[in-house]
Amino acid sequence: MATSIFGKDRYLQSDGEIISDKKFYLIVSAVLLFGFAVNVLEVLFLADYIFAFVSSGANIVWFYVIYLVAAVAGICINAFSRKPALSFAGYCLVVLPVGAVLALAVPQYSFGVVRSAFVVTALLAAVFGLLAVLYPNLFRSLWKVLSLSLLVALIWSLVSMLTGPYFSSGYVWLDWIIVLVFCCYIGFDVSLAKNRPKTTDNAVDSACGLYLDLINVFLRLLMIFGRNRD
């Protein structure tokens, strides 16, 4: 997702050692699972500490500042590095602050809401991943539209966060459009991974993009389903 906004052509280049397709996709899967496992541990064991930290008004500002700086730095390191270890370090720099946000968000919802968001995210990922395999050129041709859509989605998310539910509750359809945008990013990143040179560094980069896509879909669905249960 977010790493894709730098343009599609640079990701079709690589000076690393070519590996087999099987090893490439195993690395992508392993890196993704690592990120999700870290996030689960953060939610289970760090949620109380993070809540305590942000309970002060000043601290919550610092929380989001640290989150943005770490996440953007991690995305840039992952996107521009051509060394697998450094790209993985950038990925970890993304995973940790995202996990902190999840630790704040997930405990606010019931188990049923979280389960529903997880299941629907998995189903959407499977559907758009399959579509990307069947129609890769379609998704690769959308990268400019998706980049603009991502910018609009980020602005909307910021407005929603600052104004609270009283402003955003009447625009649920926009939330579903944002979900669709991130689902299209899943298709874009799957098609991109399919056509990249099969190197270890590109596998880590692909995993980072897909991780961000899936997390964004999950968080948005969490908000939608949680609102519907209120």
Side-chain angles (χ1 to χ4, degrees):
M1 181 207 66
T3 55
S4 305
I5 63 176
F6 295 109
K8 62 184 178 65
D9 293 334
R10 61 173 266 103
Y11 292 107
L12 301 180
Q13 306 170 3
S14 178
D15 54 6
E17 179 183 353
I18 300 298
I19 59 178
S20 67
D21 286 4
K22 180 179 180 180
K23 186 174 181 180
F24 179 88
Y25 293 117
L26 281 175
I27 293 173
V28 171
S29 300
V31 173
L32 272 175
L33 289 175
F34 170 81
F36 295 141
V38 170
N39 290 160
V40 169
L41 292 175
E42 288 181 274
V43 171
L44 291 176
F45 298 107
L46 296 181
D48 291 341
Y49 298 102
I50 295 172
F51 270 111
F53 177 77
V54 302
S55 59
S56 166
N59 284 346
I60 195 169
V61 173
W62 279 109
F63 174 83
Y64 282 111
V65 169
I66 293 171
Y67 162 76
L68 288 172
V69 170
V72 171
I75 289 171
C76 291
I77 292 171
N78 177 268
F80 291 107
S81 170
R82 285 292 171 259
K83 297 181 179 180
L86 189 56
S87 290
F88 184 74
Y91 174 70
C92 291
L93 202 55
V94 173
V95 166
L96 290 172
V98 168
V101 171
L102 288 170
L104 282 177
V106 172
Q108 299 182 40
Y109 300 96
S110 68
F111 175 76
V113 170
V114 175
R115 180 183 57 191
S116 297
F118 174 82
V119 171
V120 175
T121 299
L123 290 174
L124 289 174
V127 169
F128 279 84
L130 178 61
L131 289 174
V133 172
L134 296 175
Y135 308 103
N137 292 333
L138 172 62
F139 285 97
R140 289 203 303 275
S141 68
L142 293 175
W143 77 273
K144 290 184 179 179
V145 174
L146 290 176
S147 296
L148 178 60
S149 300
L150 175 64
L151 178 61
V152 174
L154 291 175
I155 292 173
W156 172 253
S157 297
L158 181 61
V159 170
S160 299
M161 181 181 69
L162 293 176
T163 58
Y166 298 104
F167 177 81
S168 58
S169 58
Y171 299 88
V172 179
W173 58 275
L174 275 177
D175 287 331
W176 282 109
I177 290 177
I178 293 173
V179 169
L180 178 61
V181 169
F182 285 124
C183 285
C184 289
Y185 259 111
I186 292 173
F188 176 81
D189 283 325
V190 169
S191 66
L192 198 61
K194 188 173 182 292
N195 287 274
R196 276 176 163 173
K198 299 303 186 287
T199 66
T200 301
D201 182 75
N202 280 343
V204 176
D205 293 349
S206 296
C208 186
L210 287 168
Y211 167 83
L212 287 167
D213 301 336
L214 293 167
I215 289 295
N216 277 291
V217 171
F218 173 75
L219 281 172
R220 186 60 56 171
L221 289 174
L222 204 61
M223 293 170 59
I224 294 171
F225 295 156
R227 185 185 299 132
N228 291 341
R229 296 287 181 90
D230 291 341

